[in-house]
Amino acid sequence: MSLNTKKSVRVMVDMSATLIHNGHIRILEKAKNCIKDKHVILVVGLTTDDEIKKHKQYNSELSYEERKEVLDAIIHVDEVVPTTWEITNDILSKYNIDYLAHGSDNSNDVDNIIIFPRTEGISSQDLRERAMHSIVQQRNSLKPMFTPESSNLFASNFIDIKNVYGENDEEYNTIEKTVLNNILNLTGQDHIIAIQGSTITAIDITTSNFVLGNVLIVVSGYHSEQIIDIYERKLNSLPQETRITIISYIDIETELSNNRTFDWIATTYVDSDNAFLADIHLLNELKQAKQAKLFLDATGSINLENHHEFADACVFNSGNALGGILGACFISYNEGCLKDYSTKNMPWSLDINTYLNKKVTSPYHAICSLFTVSKNFESIKQNAKASKRIFIDKFPDRILRDSKQQPISCTLIKAKKVSLKRGIAYNAKSIEKGQAVISHLGDMFTVKNEIGDLYDNLNID
């Protein structure tokens, strides 16, 4: 009996269906009804596990038997048979198939084929990424962070991590160039170096190599005091004669009135330990008056506050408001900051040439974690700003600082005690009794209509 006189036809839809989704259901439904006035016997040609591993280079989340069990339960499906990755005329003949139905991405070379448009916006790979977003969202929700360091996770941090290597790896070179250029755009300086370690590592390297000579340290809190400690531990061993002068932030106006000059001014833009925002215009005025260069610990300010270009050098890490996985620190600096002098007596790990010449392993995975994030720095900033506004509106009587001294990242509040239903609070080291610091970076990657929900976990006495 010819095909035209057959009461039924056998139509095969070939698929891997590693993660079954609505796109699969739609093509099955279309295939079941693709021949008018004929009863369609719908056969799914299901790719075997070995073929998936061979062509997709991974093991399917569901085995062949599990995928077959799901497909057998779908009302449109009459049979499920094992097939290779590519469907041939021999396979169609083996299963007595009249037509092969496939999506518009078809690469099978067979005689009788029906093409359907693919369902946009869904694929098994999309589901994998959605699953990662759900896992990360749940982890962020189960453990809200009110700390000024990396306060929550982003699915892209993990999706973007790859097996990479720093030499002859063009993929990594492209990732690194993209990330570092995007970060450098935030700083306004000319050059940037990525190093394994924390911001303290970057400060130690920077103050060993070019923030030297006559240095004025402006103290505004715990983190600028750390700069003093770093200098004092090595003053006698620095590669050129260096001396430090220390003033409090509140004494800047007095300092402006005298005539002494410095080579560098070193300070912290945002001190997250006491939630203090320095006046960057005042620091720039001091820089000009003292004929100095400006060095900023920008850990708490980068990507959130403005005018980092006033600085001649900045240090920060891959977490905080950059939104990457911790493990990398960065030094950004202007042309002319580095001087030519011998570093032969300097420890290998403190010599900036070690990192400029890539003599040690770079923070590959931390850099990769920033690939997508670095293209969306502005959204992180806007989320943190929105979170802070909600917090201030929720606790207006608790706010201690004038708005001009409040950083986006965190807020100093009046509180005898801060307790949490769940999550991690920040134990600031330099604030007075009856005060607390609340960070707003826990909303960096929060969905817009859920920003501020984490504050429901706060109890402030």
Side-chain angles (χ1 to χ4, degrees), residues 59-91:
N59 293 317
S60 174
E61 289 86 350
L62 299 174
S63 69
Y64 175 84
E65 289 76 16
E66 291 167 329
R67 290 179 284 128
K68 181 179 185 300
E69 182 177 346
V70 174
L71 287 165
D72 276 330
I74 296 174
I75 192 171
H76 310 299
V77 177
D78 297 298
E79 298 177 28
V80 179
V81 298
T83 62
T84 55
W85 179 265
E86 182 181 2
I87 303 299
T88 63
N89 284 321
D90 288 342
I91 291 175

Side-chain angles (χ1 to χ4, degrees), residues 22-177:
N22 63 316
H24 294 124
I25 301 300
R26 290 181 183 183
I27 197 169
L28 292 173
E29 183 178 19
K30 289 175 182 177
K32 184 68 174 178
N33 299 285
C34 67
I35 309 294
K36 289 184 178 182
D37 303 323
K38 300 288 184 182
H39 171 65
V40 172
I41 299 172
L42 185 59
V43 181
V44 174
L46 187 59
T47 313
T48 63
D49 293 338
D50 289 343
E51 284 287 291
I52 289 174
K53 181 63 180 297
K54 177 181 177 181
H55 290 274
K56 292 195 174 186
Q57 287 78 53
Y58 63 83
N59 293 317
S60 174
E61 289 86 350
L62 299 174
S63 69
Y64 175 84
E65 289 76 16
E66 291 167 329
R67 290 179 284 128
K68 181 179 185 300
E69 182 177 346
V70 174
L71 287 165
D72 276 330
I74 296 174
I75 192 171
H76 310 299
V77 177
D78 297 298
E79 298 177 28
V80 179
V81 298
T83 62
T84 55
W85 179 265
E86 182 181 2
I87 303 299
T88 63
N89 284 321
D90 288 342
I91 291 175
L92 297 184
S93 178
K94 176 181 178 179
Y95 293 111
N96 195 26
I97 302 300
D98 299 307
Y99 294 98
L100 176 69
H102 198 94
S104 53
D105 58 344
N106 173 68
S107 60
N108 298 302
D109 184 14
V110 296
D111 294 334
N112 297 322
I113 188 163
I114 302 169
I115 299 296
F116 298 116
R118 284 182 58 87
T119 300
E120 296 296 327
I122 186 64
S123 68
S124 295
Q125 184 59 31
D126 290 331
L127 285 185
R128 292 183 186 96
E129 295 192 7
R130 289 188 197 183
M132 179 63 76
H133 279 272
S134 296
I135 291 169
V136 170
Q137 184 180 25
Q138 183 188 43
R139 290 182 179 178
N140 287 337
S141 297
L142 291 174
K143 192 178 181 181
M145 305 291 281
F146 301 93
T147 60
E149 289 82 22
S150 289
S151 292
N152 64 356
L153 303 170
F154 190 42
S156 290
N157 294 149
F158 304 100
I159 293 170
D160 286 341
I161 291 179
K162 304 176 185 296
N163 51 332
V164 293
Y165 187 59
E167 297 178 17
N168 304 317
D169 187 336
E170 290 304 318
E171 180 183 31
Y172 177 71
N173 291 338
T174 298
I175 292 169
E176 182 183 69
K177 182 178 179 180

Side-chain angles (χ1 to χ4, degrees), residues 120-321:
E120 296 296 327
I122 186 64
S123 68
S124 295
Q125 184 59 31
D126 290 331
L127 285 185
R128 292 183 186 96
E129 295 192 7
R130 289 188 197 183
M132 179 63 76
H133 279 272
S134 296
I135 291 169
V136 170
Q137 184 180 25
Q138 183 188 43
R139 290 182 179 178
N140 287 337
S141 297
L142 291 174
K143 192 178 181 181
M145 305 291 281
F146 301 93
T147 60
E149 289 82 22
S150 289
S151 292
N152 64 356
L153 303 170
F154 190 42
S156 290
N157 294 149
F158 304 100
I159 293 170
D160 286 341
I161 291 179
K162 304 176 185 296
N163 51 332
V164 293
Y165 187 59
E167 297 178 17
N168 304 317
D169 187 336
E170 290 304 318
E171 180 183 31
Y172 177 71
N173 291 338
T174 298
I175 292 169
E176 182 183 69
K177 182 178 179 180
T178 299
V179 170
L180 295 186
N181 282 342
N182 289 339
I183 295 174
L184 200 58
N185 287 336
L186 297 176
T187 71
Q189 278 92 58
D190 301 327
H191 305 282
I192 189 167
I193 307 171
I195 301 167
Q196 287 200 56
S198 66
T199 301
I200 292 296
T201 305
I203 295 174
D204 210 1
I205 293 169
T206 307
T207 55
S208 296
N209 288 269
F210 60 84
V211 185
L212 301 167
N214 191 7
V215 181
L216 174 66
I217 302 176
V218 179
V219 177
S220 58
Y222 174 79
H223 292 292
S224 44
E225 289 173 351
Q226 286 184 318
I227 299 175
I228 299 171
D229 192 17
I230 289 170
Y231 271 113
E232 288 181 339
R233 289 169 181 261
K234 62 184 181 184
L235 273 176
N236 295 330
S237 62
L238 289 173
Q240 69 184 57
E241 183 180 350
T242 295
R243 59 188 182 276
I244 61 173
T245 301
I246 304 165
I247 66 168
S248 172
Y249 180 86
I250 61 175
D251 292 328
I252 289 179
E253 293 292 346
T254 301
E255 182 62 37
L256 284 169
S257 66
N258 67 52
N259 295 323
R260 58 183 179 177
T261 60
F262 295 89
D263 296 301
W264 282 91
I265 296 166
T267 191
T268 302
Y269 192 169
V270 168
D271 197 304
S272 56
D273 193 70
N274 61 0
F276 178 77
L277 171 66
D279 183 343
I280 192 65
H281 294 280
L282 181 61
L283 292 176
N284 190 47
E285 181 183 353
L286 182 65
K287 165 188 168 178
Q288 301 299 330
K290 299 301 169 182
Q291 303 173 42
K293 293 182 174 67
L294 178 61
F295 168 59
L296 291 178
D297 174 356
T299 306
S301 59
I302 196 69
N303 188 39
L304 295 179
E305 309 299 341
N306 297 323
H307 297 304
H308 287 84
E309 72 276 7
F310 289 172
D312 298 275
C314 293
V315 292
F316 43 90
N317 63 50
S318 52
N320 293 74

